[in-house]
C-alpha cells in the first residue's frame, strides 16, 4: 500500500515517465498493490531505494545492467529492477504493442498491480490495470490517472488516510462540527 509520501511519489513517477517518453527511452514500472509480487521481484535485482525521478530514469537508461525488464515499486520504495514479467497470452492485442506492453497486460491479469509503460518506439505513455491498457497519456493526464488509481480507494467504505488528507486540503470539502471548530481554532492560533 501507499503511505505518507504518496503524492510525492506519484509526482516523481510522473516526472520520470514524462522525461523518458520525451527521450524515447523504454520503461516498465509495476506498482504493487495488495497482491504480493515477491516472486516477480526475485527475477530481478533488489534495490530497495527511495523513489526519485532521476533514479527511475537512470535505471531505464539503455545499455545499463537493469534497463531491460520491469521495476517493482512496493510500499512507496523502489523495491527491485530488471524483473521479468509474464506475458499475456491474449490474441486480440494490437500488433503495434511490443513485449513491454504484453508484459504489462499479463502482469495486471494476474494481480491488482498498476503498470506504467513507456514505448521506446513512439515515446507513448500507457497505464495498465486489470488487464486493460490505456494509451497516449501526457504529463497531466498521466498524473491524474495515477492519482486516481493509487491515491484513492473507491471500493473501501471508509476513506483511506490519503483520501481523508486530500479531502481535508479541499477548500470546498465541508468539515462538520468539532473537527471544523478545532481546525478553525488552530488556524487562528497560527495566524496570530
Amino acid at each position: 500500500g501507499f503511505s505518507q509520501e504518496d503524492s510525492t511519489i506519484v509526482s516523481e513517477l510522473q516526472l520520470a515517465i514524462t522525461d523518458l517518453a520525451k527521450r524515447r527511452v523504454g520503461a516498465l514500472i509495476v506498482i504493487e498493490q495488495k497482491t504480493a509480487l515477491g516472486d516477480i521481484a526475485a527475477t530481478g535485482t533488489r534495490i530497495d531505494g527511495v523513489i526519485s525521478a532521476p533514479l527511475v530514469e537512470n535505471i531505464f537508461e539503455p545499455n545499463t545492467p537493469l534497463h531491460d525488464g520491469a521495476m517493482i515499486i512496493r510500499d512507496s520504495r523502489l523495491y527491485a529492477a530488471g524483473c521479468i514479467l509474464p506475458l499475456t497470452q491474449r490474441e486480440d492485442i494490437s500488433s503495434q504493442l511490443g513485449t513491454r506492453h504484453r508484459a504489462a497486460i499479463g502482469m495486471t491479469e494476474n494481480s491488482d498491480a498498476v503498470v506504467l509503460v513507456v514505448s521506446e518506439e513512439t515515446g507513448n505513455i500507457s497505464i495498465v490495470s486489470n488487464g486493460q491498457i490505456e494509451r497516449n497519456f501526457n504529463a497531466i493526464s498521466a498524473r491524474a490517472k495515477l492519482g486516481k488509481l493509487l491515491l484513492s480507494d473507491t471500493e473501501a467504505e471508509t476513506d483511506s488516510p490519503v483520501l481523508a488528507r486530500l479531502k481535508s486540503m479541499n477548500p470546498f470539502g465541508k468539515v462538520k462540527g468539532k473537527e471544523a471548530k478545532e481546525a478553525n481554532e488552530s488556524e487562528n492560533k497560527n495566524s496570530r
Side-chain angles (χ1 to χ4, degrees):
F2 265 39
S3 64
Q4 299 310 322
E5 330 78 274
D6 296 346
S7 51
T8 321
I9 287 162
V10 168
S11 305
E12 292 294 316
L13 289 175
Q14 175 240 321
L15 281 172
I17 59 176
T18 311
D19 202 57
L20 290 163
K22 250 190 232 125
R23 299 190 294 121
R24 300 229 170 146
V25 173
L28 185 54
I29 301 172
V30 179
I31 300 160
E32 183 184 74
Q33 306 278 58
K34 292 189 182 75
T35 312
L37 304 177
D39 50 340
I40 301 285
T43 64
T45 299
R46 177 88 182 265
I47 294 171
D48 194 26
V50 175
I51 294 167
S52 69
L55 179 57
V56 172
E57 289 181 52
N58 206 39
I59 283 174
F60 289 113
E61 207 53 52
N63 308 317
T64 54
L66 297 175
H67 85 278
D68 217 10
M71 173 182 288
I72 311 280
I73 289 175
R74 164 183 283 182
D75 295 331
S76 309
R77 305 271 294 170
L78 201 168
Y79 183 68
C83 303
I84 298 158
L85 304 187
L87 302 184
T88 180
Q89 298 308 309
R90 271 170 44 197
E91 301 293 327
D92 61 330
I93 288 160
S94 155
S95 57
Q96 294 171 3
L97 297 181
T99 313
R100 254 193 207 94
H101 295 88
R102 297 191 75 88
I105 295 164
M107 190 69 240
T108 65
E109 286 171 338
N110 306 306
S111 76
D112 60 357
V114 173
V115 186
L116 318 179
V117 189
V118 179
S119 160
E120 65 197 35
E121 284 77 29
T122 59
N124 203 311
I125 295 172
S126 304
I127 298 179
V128 190
S129 55
N130 300 318
Q132 301 299 313
I133 185 163
E134 281 183 66
R135 299 166 70 192
N136 301 313
F137 283 93
N138 62 26
I140 292 158
S141 60
R143 175 94 177 77
K145 178 72 174 178
L146 286 176
K148 197 163 155 251
L149 287 170
L150 303 175
L151 298 181
S152 64
D153 187 359
T154 41
E155 266 78 57
E157 292 294 301
T158 55
D159 286 350
S160 70
V162 177
L163 196 57
R165 201 166 70 242
L166 287 174
K167 281 189 179 161
S168 72
M169 296 189 301
N170 167 10
F172 306 109
K174 303 277 184 287
V175 187
K176 291 178 197 69
K178 188 166 164 255
E179 286 163 60
K181 194 163 159 275
E182 280 170 12
N184 291 341
E185 278 166 13
S186 67
E187 269 171 38
N188 294 345
K189 275 196 205 91
N190 295 343
S191 59
R192 265 178 215 143

